[in-house]
């Protein structure tokens, strides 16, 4: 590569890495996998090694990512929280071994540990009591997250037989099952989902409100003593001491040489799935602490340890079928059913195909041989088709046009690739729809949160939103954790919600793009739901804030048989369809006026105001779409045009009568 080209490439890589680093550390919302990120960093490092003249102090290779944010008080780390050098192959690992050999002549041993994928922290204990904890930040200064750390149950508040002063380094993580549990709850509640356990942990720990952290059920595992008033000779000794003090300590294995470490590294990789936490590699450390200090550190990483990164595992298998699942939000997700293979420690028998666009792009068909990948712990996905192995007679795969759960039409999101079932009574969406119906911004039914909805659904007492109005206190009282009193309260709250009226009821249906705001706008325009149902798409589109997409969603929803059934049940139950908003006079809805000539009774601005207040529009030129031309004195070409097109021409007097 020419110097010129290298310079450009380095600049581009720097910008790219910085951007991903910002997303990862500051926003806890990465858009590429850690593995891809590490690869980028390494490409940059290699280039900078080849062209050192272009290496600048501000390069991301020269500092640990992440700035200290101003949300929390800064804490200066007494012992810096270093990063680790990554290796991606056995060869690189042996190179690490020889570097250690060159520096330390006498015998040495190594420890292998899983590399827990969470958020690095340092915690300090004084006289055995938890004193303070901070995030890594830039390695020198972190953020004081003591209060949030106190909510973590696996962080001991008090230690057994602790030294006077102790600083421990560990990883705050979200266990895989916690992650799944939270996300499945958030999905029902309509909250944004956590991207992955690591971001779940980082985002939860850096909350201003410790209560939020507590809800996220984080865990802590420790793997290093940063500082202690007690003396230790080896890393294994410190880990055992930490266990004795009451910490959850990273599991470790101790070996005489690097060659033996490899087996353990491979073993961890193969069994990744059995650990309660995610991991993104294994860490190999020199055990003897005196040897460690002799090896020391570079500006960024210790010379006595490396992180071995597992590549995402990829294997071939055959697609025996493609099945479609309907999720809680109604989205259809196609999945390839494949002949079982072992991948990253688990047996994989299906892999996601995400959506129709993805299927089209890869051209995956039933019968194809495909490459399946599991990157980290993410759900396995199909990454490519082995076209050379495609059998005769395969057909492109198209997602069905109706929902497999309820038979309703499936439509594509206007703003994305997702295909969604439109059924108001779709069983797959039941939990989520009823929870939304009862939520604060919708019918606001006190006591009808996700957990209660779930037990009502599980007990078969409700199948759709309207069913809640047919509940009786006696059957509700039979539910788990429901007494007679709370059942009666719930029934009373449900009864009260019947009077919420048009705008909230409309928002409660969960029609796409029709939330609180649209509910209000529409309830100002129509005095009840029935009037809204009569409105055509064209009429709806004339309303401010209602675009063509929303208008169509509304019309489709009201036309669907399941919605009609819902509405009938709600009406019979006595739920009010009436607007509680002041209904505006919209006599000019859908009408367009053109003003021409000299008006004597109003200024043009006044006339425009009146027309718009009544829901009409004013345009500057006459066309077939014009409803009226309001003509004053000495009207010119616009009048002629109106006459040619046969458009109604009105005088000021006639206009006056219309707005009376
Ligand atoms: P990196 O962030 O890729 O430079 O990797 C270094 C990070 O690995 C440290 O900041 C730690 O948070 C994390 N880590 C996880 N498990 C371990 C472990 N067993 N030993 C050392 N570091 C670990
Ligand atoms: Zn459905």
């Amino acid at each position: 590569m020419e110097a010129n080209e290298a310079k450009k490439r380095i600049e581009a890589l720097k910008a790219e890495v910085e951007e991903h680093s910002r997303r990862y550390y500051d926003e806890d919302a990465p858009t590429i996998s850690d593995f891809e990120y590490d690869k980028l960093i390494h490409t940059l490092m290699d280039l900078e090694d080849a062209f050192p003249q272009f290496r600048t102090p501000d390069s991301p290779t020269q500092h640990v990512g992440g700035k200290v944010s101003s949300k929390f008080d800064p804490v200066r780390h007494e012992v810096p929280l270093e990063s680790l050098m990554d290796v991606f192959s056995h060869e690189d690992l042996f190179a690490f071994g020889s570097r250690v050999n060159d520096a330390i002549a006498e015998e040495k041993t190594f420890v292998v540990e899983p590399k827990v994928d969470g958020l690095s922290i340092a915690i300090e204990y004084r006289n055995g009591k938890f004193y303070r904890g901070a995030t890594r930040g830039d390695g020198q200064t972190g953020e004081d997250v003591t209060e949030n750390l106190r909510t973590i149950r696996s962080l001991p508040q008090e230690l057994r037989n602790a030294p006077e002063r102790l600083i421990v380094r560990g990883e705050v993580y979200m266990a895989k099952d916690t992650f799944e549990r939270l996300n499945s709850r958030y999905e029902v509640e309509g909250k944004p989902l956590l991207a992955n356990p690591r971001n779940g942990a980082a985002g939860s720990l850096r909350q201003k409100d410790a209560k939020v952290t507590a809800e996220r059920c984080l865990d802590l595992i420790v793997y290093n003593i940063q500082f202690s008033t007690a003396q230790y000779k080896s890393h294994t000794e410190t880990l055992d001491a930490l266990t004795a003090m009451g910490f959850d300590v990273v599991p470790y294995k101790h070996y005489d040489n690097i060659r033996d470490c490899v087996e353990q590294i491979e073993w961890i990789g193969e069994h990744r799935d059995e650990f309660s936490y995610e991991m993104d590699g294994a860490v190999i450390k020199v055990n003897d602490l005196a040897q460690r200090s002799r090896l020391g550190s570079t500006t960024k990483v210790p010379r006595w340890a490396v992180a071995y990164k597992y590549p995402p595992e990829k294997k071939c298998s055959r697609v025996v079928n493609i099945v479609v699942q309907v999720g809680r939000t109604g989205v259809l997700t196609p999945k390839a059913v494949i002949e079982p293979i072992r991948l990253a420690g688990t047996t994989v028998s299906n892999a996601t195909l995400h959506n129709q666009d993805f299927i089209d792009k890869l051209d995956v068909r039933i019968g194809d041989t495909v490459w399946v990948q599991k990157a980290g712990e993410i759900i396995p996905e199909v990454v490519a088709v082995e076209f050379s192995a495609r059998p005769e007679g395969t057909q492109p795969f198209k997602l069905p046009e109706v929902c497999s759960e309820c038979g309703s039409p499936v439509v594509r999101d206007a703003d994305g690739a997702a295909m969604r079932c439109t059924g108001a009574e779709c069983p797959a969406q039941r939990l989520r729809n009823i929870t939304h119906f009862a939520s604060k911004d919708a019918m606001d039914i006190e006591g009808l949160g996700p957990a209660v909805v779930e037990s009502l659904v599980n007990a078969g007492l409700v199948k759709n939103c309207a069913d809640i109005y047919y509940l009786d206190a006696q059957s509700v009282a039979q539910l788990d954790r429901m007494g007679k009193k709370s059942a009666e309260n719930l029934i009373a709250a449900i009864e009260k919600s019947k009077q919420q009226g048009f705008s909230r009821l409309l928002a409660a249906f969960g029609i796409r793009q029709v939330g609180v705001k649209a509910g209000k706008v529409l309830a100002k325009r129509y005095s009840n739901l029935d009037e809204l149902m009569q409105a055509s798409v064209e009429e709806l589109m004339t309303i401010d804030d209602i675009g063509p997409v929303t208008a169509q969603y509304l019309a489709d929803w009201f036309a669907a048989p399941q919605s009609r059934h819902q509405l009938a049940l709600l009406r019979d139950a006595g739920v009010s369809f009436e607007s509680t908003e002041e209904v505006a006079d919209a006599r000019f809805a859908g009408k367009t006026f053109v003003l021409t000539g000299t008006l004597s009774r109003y200024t043009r601005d006044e006339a425009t105001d009146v027309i718009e207040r009544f829901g009409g529009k004013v345009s500057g030129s006459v066309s077939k779409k014009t409803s009226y031309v309001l003509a004053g004195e000495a009207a010119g070409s616009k009048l002629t045009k109106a006459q040619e097109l046969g458009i109604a021409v009105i005088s000021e007097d006639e206009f006056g009568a219309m707005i009376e």
Side-chain angles (χ1 to χ4, degrees), residues 34-49:
D34 291 359
F35 190 81
E36 287 166 311
Y37 177 81
D38 294 339
K39 281 279 191 204
L40 277 180
I41 286 263
H42 281 267
T43 315
L44 179 56
M45 278 181 181
D46 290 347
L47 265 176
E48 286 178 342
D49 285 345

Side-chain angles (χ1 to χ4, degrees), residues 20-31:
H20 287 300
S21 164
R22 195 183 56 74
R23 286 185 194 153
Y24 183 94
Y25 287 107
D26 299 342
E27 291 176 3
D28 298 318
T31 50

Side-chain angles (χ1 to χ4, degrees), residues 165-358:
R165 233 183 124 222
L166 174 76
I167 304 177
V168 182
R169 183 169 178 184
E171 201 83 356
V172 168
Y173 67 93
M174 184 177 278
K176 287 186 279 194
D177 56 352
T178 306
F179 169 78
E180 308 251 325
R181 189 165 47 84
L182 286 175
N183 261 357
S184 110
R185 203 174 84 201
Y186 293 161
E187 193 179 25
V188 171
E189 292 172 359
K191 292 189 183 152
L193 301 189
L194 307 168
N196 55 49
R198 202 213 77 91
N199 290 286
S204 308
L205 188 62
R206 297 173 70 241
Q207 289 284 335
K208 253 303 177 200
D209 184 356
K211 266 205 249 102
V212 180
T213 312
E215 280 167 16
R216 304 285 173 86
C217 305
L218 301 177
D219 278 297
L220 170 76
I221 197 157
V222 300
Y223 51 75
N224 199 52
I225 291 188
Q226 301 289 97
F227 172 87
S228 173
T229 44
Q231 299 295 315
Y232 305 98
K233 284 205 172 59
S234 68
H235 181 60
T236 49
E237 199 188 320
T238 62
L239 293 185
D240 296 344
L242 288 169
T243 305
M245 287 181 226
F247 285 104
D248 240 349
V249 178
V250 77
Y252 70 83
K253 289 263 161 132
H254 190 185
Y255 299 96
D256 289 339
N257 56 59
I258 288 279
R259 206 156 277 283
D260 292 344
C261 293
V262 171
E263 209 170 307
Q264 175 63 7
I265 294 171
E266 292 304 312
W267 186 90
I268 294 176
E270 268 300 303
H271 293 78
R272 267 190 264 183
D273 231 71
E274 293 152 32
F275 289 75
S276 65
Y277 41 82
E278 281 203 334
M279 61 180 80
D280 61 335
V283 188
I284 301 89
K285 303 172 175 174
V286 172
N287 189 36
D288 187 280
L289 298 183
Q291 292 176 354
R292 279 193 189 184
S293 16
R294 274 162 61 200
L295 283 159
S297 297
T298 69
T299 50
K300 218 187 142 181
V301 293
R303 292 198 187 85
W304 46 263
V306 283
Y308 180 91
K309 293 287 175 98
Y310 298 107
E313 233 191 303
K314 242 199 262 183
K315 271 188 195 156
C316 262
S317 181
R318 210 176 60 85
V319 178
V320 287
N321 198 3
I322 296 178
V323 294
V324 178
Q325 283 180 335
V326 188
R328 284 173 168 175
T329 57
V331 175
L332 274 62
T333 307
K335 266 189 180 170
V337 179
I338 56 170
E339 284 167 356
I341 42 170
R342 290 284 296 175
L343 258 192
T346 30
T347 304
V348 173
S349 52
N350 51 55
T352 184
L353 290 164
H354 301 287
N355 53 50
Q356 185 71 57
D357 287 358
F358 188 86

Side-chain angles (χ1 to χ4, degrees), residues 326-327 330 332 402-410 420-429 562:
V326 188
L332 274 62
V402 295
C403 170
S404 54
E405 297 285 323
C406 75
S408 288
V410 167
R420 228 175 262 270
C421 160
T422 52
E425 300 182 327
C426 180
Q429 301 173 62
Q562 289 185 17

Side-chain angles (χ1 to χ4, degrees), residues 6-7 9-19 21 37 40-49 51-66 299-300:
K7 183 159 186 243
R9 185 90 189 93
I10 286 175
E11 287 308 319
L13 271 170
K14 266 168 32 181
E16 199 178 344
V17 169
E18 288 289 2
E19 175 57 22
S21 164
Y37 177 81
L40 277 180
I41 286 263
H42 281 267
T43 315
L44 179 56
M45 278 181 181
D46 290 347
L47 265 176
E48 286 178 342
D49 285 345
F51 298 90
Q53 68 269 38
F54 301 135
R55 182 184 290 136
T56 56
D58 72 342
S59 169
T61 58
Q62 304 302 300
H63 58 91
V64 180
T299 50
K300 218 187 142 181

Side-chain angles (χ1 to χ4, degrees), residues 570-633:
L570 290 166
R571 195 192 300 273
D572 290 349
V575 175
S576 165
F577 284 15
E578 299 300 313
S579 175
T580 54
E581 307 282 330
E582 207 172 300
V583 176
D585 184 335
R587 63 181 76 179
F588 292 157
K591 305 275 189 256
T592 306
F593 288 73
V594 173
L595 313 180
T596 179
T598 316
L599 303 179
S600 52
R601 286 172 51 181
Y602 323 89
T603 65
R604 284 205 175 189
D605 281 348
E606 282 166 359
T608 305
D609 263 3
V610 177
I611 292 165
E612 286 178 352
R613 191 144 36 81
F614 288 145
K617 275 194 196 138
V618 176
S619 157
S621 58
V622 179
S623 74
K624 272 190 284 187
K625 288 191 185 137
T626 310
S627 321
Y628 300 104
V629 170
L630 171 55
E633 283 297 307

